């Protein structure tokens, strides 16, 4: 038992005891499960005589979460022991994750999916705290809706969310991303061939990549109209420069000795490019693709804050606040987060397949 | 030493008596940026009408990303200026807003179409693109389209709706065939750009009988249980109406006050002078009461369009205007 675990166990047990004592001020039948949880938490102090397994802490945390969620709103006003119970449940979850990660540390790569449990427990704990605090403290939903409200809105507004997703992701992000990345790659190869472009264009490219490209959104609306074309144009502008700068750097990644080897095989420029330099630039190119996957989504959403048709994620997020449809705004944010993560994940998976030779993917295995 | 203790006593007395003389602090959240649309409040603050009523008023400017309903829900303001449609929608979303006074009697909202787009009547709308402001300003337009039976969801035989910027650019750039304007603001920009009644088809919401109540004063329902608060609101409305009357009589001075009070430096004297004149046509400085006929029509339009689902209960109170 490390010092941290010792401390967590002690505080969790002690606070349980205190909250358990305080809970007798309310009628016994109110929030019975919560009181049972606090009693068990008090009993967990027995671990200092009889060792408790880490799954016991996991069970405590789960029981605490269920007890809190079922008894939120039962008490009016929410008593202090309820908030202490929330802290206790959080401490048990922390203790569980702490012990689990210690156990898994020696076998980090193949632990049969147990490693996934750590972020899941952490995320679930955050959601439970959010839910319990917003409902327990009666926070007005227009300031911060509870996750359950957002989930209900996700289910009820599926057609709206789907239409917004198609408008923003399928029509603006994907074409813009494809055009931006492809043109960045082609221009990078041109730059690599010509010393003039290298000296002239690359500094400008570096300069442009530092500009807040999103500022051109209103201009793009002037040029391409207010529908998805102007948003895709913003995405092109945002994704082009990271790709250019990364690819140019990547094309110089192969060592002189490897290029000399190609020369001794009498390989021409294009053969060297295709067989040596582009594959060697793979990690750089995929780095740009991954950066761009998130940039493209952000760019398209923010570009929709200016002159849009009345559909799209950015439109909904910016105008939903004015209509006080805050739960819809959060649902839209959830969709955007999932879409962005999935997009990034797909690119990362392709990268693992393509640059299998790279040490970062091999995991150090020869 | 005696002197010293005496001094302490005097200052302690002064401190303990201070709250009795302190002005009541009120925070007003405007619906939009500092401009002559709010001349009454700005003039009342600048000319000391609030001070005369023993009020310490803070005026917070709004903007394109400020929802007054959210500000008041978060405790950032005591009173907000907002349109009734947005206020009622917020009431249903769990922000219990109550109308305490309605200085704006008429709507300043219009839709204008350059004549070359060949739109002469409402019947010509289908197949065209119309610019509409969102962020809580879209309700009057949708209520109007609902009344006319014109689809706004992009289906055939309906209109295409564009989320319009808060200027007349979409009309000048030809992105939209018609755009929304306020008589006192964007219409002035259109006049400056060489448009006018001779080359525009104008749909005025008030003349069509489609106007929904605009700038009213709203507070949270719970605060009306406190008699001291109600008294402060009453004094606030009285001073504000005095400000409106003053602005109507001295438009030049009012416009200058607005320009001076605008921290952003965006307000120009010429435009604010135009706005002061136009706003004066919509406000009745002698009467802060809510007109029930317009109220009923506003509520009916919101119900017809299912912006709100139930007839609002207690969404207005006369307790403040009765005390004027």
């Amino acid at each position: 038992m490390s010092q941290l675990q010792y401390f967590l166990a002690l505080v969790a047990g002690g606070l349980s005891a205190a909250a358990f004592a305080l809970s007798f001020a309310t009628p016994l039948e109110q929030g019975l499960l919560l009181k049972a949880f606090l009693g068990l938490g008090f009993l967990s102090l027995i671990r200092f005589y009889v060792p408790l397994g880490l799954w016991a802490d996991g069970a405590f945390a789960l029981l605490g979460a269920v007890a809190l969620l079922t008894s939120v709103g039962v008490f009016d006003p929410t008593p202090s022991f309820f908030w202490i119970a929330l802290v206790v449940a959080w401490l048990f979850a922390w203790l569980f994750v702490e012990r689990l990660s210690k156990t898994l540390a020696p076998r980090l790569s193949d632990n049969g999916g147990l490693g996934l449990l750590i972020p899941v427990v952490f995320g679930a704990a955050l959601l439970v705290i959010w839910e319990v605090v917003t409902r327990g403290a009666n926070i007005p939903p227009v300031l911060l809706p509870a996750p359950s409200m957002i989930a209900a809105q996700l289910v009820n507004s599926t057609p709206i969310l789907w239409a917004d997703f198609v408008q923003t992701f399928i029509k603006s992000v994907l074409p813009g991303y494809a055009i931006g990345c492809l043109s960045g790659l082609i221009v990078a190869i041109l730059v690599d061939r010509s010393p003039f472009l290298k000296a002239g264009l690359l500094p400008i490219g570096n300069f442009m990549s530092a500009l807040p490209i999103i500022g051109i959104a209103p201009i793009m609306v002037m040029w391409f109209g207010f529908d998805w074309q102007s948003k895709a144009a913003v995405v092109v502008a945002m994704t082009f420069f990271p790709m250019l700068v990364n690819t140019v750097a990547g094309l110089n990644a192969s060592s002189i000795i490897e290029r000399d080897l190609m020369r001794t095989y009498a390989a021409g420029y294009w053969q060297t490019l295709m067989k040596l330099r582009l594959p060697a630039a793979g990690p750089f190119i995929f780095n740009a693709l991954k950066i761009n996957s998130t940039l493209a989504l952000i760019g398209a959403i923010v570009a929709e804050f200016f002159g849009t048709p009345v559909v799209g994620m950015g439109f909904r997020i910016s105008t939903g606040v004015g209509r006080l449809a805050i739960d819809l705004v959060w649902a839209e944010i959830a969709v955007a987060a999932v879409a962005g993560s999935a997009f990034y994940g797909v690119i990362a998976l392709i990268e693992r397949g393509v640059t299998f030779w790279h040490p970062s993917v091999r995991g150090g295995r020869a | 030493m005696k002197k010293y203790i005496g001094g302490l006593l005097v200052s302690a007395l002064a401190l303990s008596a201070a709250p009795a003389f302190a002005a009541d602090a009120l925070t007003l959240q405007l619906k939009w940026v500092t401009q002559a649309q709010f001349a009454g409040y700005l003039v009342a603050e600048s000319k000391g009408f609030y001070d005369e009523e023993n009020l310490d008023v803070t005026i917070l400017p709004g903007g394109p990303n400020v929802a007054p309903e959210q500000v008041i829900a978060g405790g950032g303001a005591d009173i907000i200026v907002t349109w009734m449609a947005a206020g009622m929608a917020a009431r249903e979303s769990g922000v219990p807003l109550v109308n305490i006074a309605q200085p704006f009697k008429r709507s300043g909202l219009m839709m204008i179409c350059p004549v070359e787009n060949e739109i002469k009547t409402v019947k010509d709308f289908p197949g065209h693109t119309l610019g509409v402001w969102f962020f809580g300003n879209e309700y009057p337009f949708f209520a109007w389209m609902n009344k006319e039976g014109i689809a706004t969801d992009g289906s055939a035989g309906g209109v295409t709706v564009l989320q319009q910027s808060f200027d007349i650019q979409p009309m000048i750039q030809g992105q939209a065939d018609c755009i929304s304007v306020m008589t006192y603001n964007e219409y002035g920009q259109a006049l400056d750009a060489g448009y006018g009644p001779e080359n525009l088809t104008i749909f005025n919401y008030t003349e069509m009988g489609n106007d929904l109540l605009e700038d009213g004063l709203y507070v949270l329902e719970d605060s009306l249980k406190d008699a001291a608060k109600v008294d402060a609101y009453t004094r606030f409305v009285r001073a504000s109406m005095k400000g409106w009357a003053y602005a109507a009589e001295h438009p030049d001075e009012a416009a200058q006050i607005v320009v001076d009070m605008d921290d952003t430096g965006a307000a120009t004297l010429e435009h604010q002078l135009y706005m002061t004149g136009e706003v004066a046509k919509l406000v009745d400085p002698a009467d802060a009461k809510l007109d029930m006929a317009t109220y009923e029509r506003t509520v009916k339009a919101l119900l017809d369009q299912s912006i709100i689902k139930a007839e609002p209960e207690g969404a207005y109170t006369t307790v403040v205007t009765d005390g004027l």
Side-chain angles (χ1 to χ4, degrees), chain B residues 62-74:
Chain B
N65 302 314
V66 178
E69 300 82 4
Q70 207 179 8
V71 173
I72 197 169

Side-chain angles (χ1 to χ4, degrees), chain A:
Chain A
M1 204 165 179
S2 73
Q3 207 167 7
L4 175 68
Q5 287 177 20
Y6 186 89
F7 178 73
L8 285 175
L10 195 63
V11 175
L15 283 177
S16 297
F20 189 57
L22 283 172
S23 72
F24 286 104
T26 56
L28 184 65
E29 63 279 4
Q30 263 191 333
L32 209 50
L33 189 59
L34 189 68
K35 288 165 186 172
F37 160 68
L38 288 171
L40 276 173
F42 178 30
L43 284 178
S44 78
L45 286 171
I46 203 169
R47 80 174 73 228
F48 294 103
Y49 301 100
V50 188
L52 285 179
L54 64 94
W55 296 106
D57 286 320
F60 281 138
L62 188 64
L63 176 68
V66 173
L68 284 162
L69 289 175
T70 48
S71 60
V72 67
V74 168
F75 306 100
D76 187 41
T78 309
S80 58
F81 79 84
F82 180 87
W83 299 120
I84 301 175
L86 178 62
V87 175
V88 170
W90 164 252
L91 287 173
F92 275 126
W94 187 359
L95 185 57
F96 170 62
V97 168
E98 174 69 23
R99 293 178 72 178
L100 186 64
S101 51
K102 275 275 194 301
T103 318
L104 295 179
R107 42 194 179 109
L108 206 57
S109 48
D110 50 346
N111 45 35
L114 276 180
L116 265 181
L117 204 56
I118 296 172
V120 167
V121 170
F122 187 75
L126 281 181
L127 281 178
V128 168
I129 291 175
W130 179 358
E131 175 81 23
V132 168
V133 170
T134 46
R135 283 172 54 196
N138 284 330
I139 292 173
V142 295
L143 295 181
L144 185 67
S148 55
M149 275 182 72
I150 298 167
Q153 191 62 254
L154 263 170
V155 174
N156 294 338
S157 316
T158 313
I160 294 180
L161 294 167
W162 174 248
D164 289 344
F165 174 79
V166 168
Q167 169 76 17
T168 303
F169 198 82
I170 310 285
K171 287 183 180 169
S172 313
V173 172
L174 290 181
Y177 179 81
I179 295 169
C181 291
L182 203 63
S183 53
L185 188 68
I186 291 167
V187 172
I189 292 170
L190 291 177
V191 165
D192 180 67
R193 283 223 76 168
S194 130
F196 157 68
L197 283 179
K198 199 164 198 161
L201 191 69
L202 206 56
I204 295 179
N206 284 321
F207 173 69
M208 289 290 285
S209 59
L211 290 179
I213 303 280
I214 201 69
I216 62 170
I219 298 168
M220 292 296 160
V221 171
M222 258 198 251
W223 290 357
F224 297 104
F226 60 86
D227 207 352
W228 58 269
Q229 293 87 341
S230 59
K231 315 305 174 245
V234 171
V235 174
V236 169
M238 281 188 86
T239 53
F240 176 82
F241 295 103
M243 192 66 178
L244 173 69
V245 174
N246 269 287
T247 309
V248 168
L251 287 173
N252 297 324
S254 55
S255 65
I256 308 250
I257 201 162
E258 290 162 334
R259 279 180 248 169
D260 278 350
L261 180 67
M262 292 302 274
R263 263 187 76 79
T264 55
Y265 292 155
Y269 171 83
W270 291 105
Q271 283 176 310
T272 311
L273 184 74
M274 287 309 193
K275 292 198 176 357
L276 167 68
R277 299 177 68 214
L278 270 182
F284 288 84
I285 294 172
F286 274 103
N287 185 30
L289 286 173
K290 284 192 293 192
I291 293 171
N292 283 346
S293 69
T294 45
L295 269 186
L297 190 62
I298 295 168
I301 287 177
V302 179
E304 282 180 349
F305 288 7
F306 315 92
T308 47
V310 287
V311 62
M313 291 174 165
F315 165 79
R316 200 76 55 196
I317 288 171
S318 63
T319 59
V321 177
R323 301 183 69 144
L324 291 193
I326 308 291
D327 44 357
L328 184 60
V329 172
W330 277 99
E332 199 75 70
I333 289 170
V335 170
V338 171
S341 305
F343 192 19
Y344 183 95
V346 166
I347 304 283
L349 276 178
I350 296 173
E351 177 184 29
R352 289 181 74 154
V354 174
T355 62
F356 56 88
W357 48 268
H358 195 264
S360 68
V361 180
R362 283 204 317 255
R365 290 187 305 278

Side-chain angles (χ1 to χ4, degrees), chain B residues 107-157:
Chain B
S107 156
L109 188 61
M110 303 199 297
M111 182 154 275
I112 58 173
C113 317
V115 283
E116 59 266 28
N117 297 334
E118 315 226 318
I119 296 171
K120 292 185 183 60
T121 65
V122 177
K123 295 283 167 283
D124 301 326
F125 277 144
H128 287 91
T129 302
L130 312 181
V132 178
W133 297 311
F134 278 78
F135 213 77
N137 306 318
E138 64 270 46
Y139 305 116
F141 168 80
F142 284 112
W144 175 30
M145 290 294 119
N146 188 52
K147 187 173 141 185
E148 298 287 349
I150 298 174
T152 51
D153 52 3
S155 55

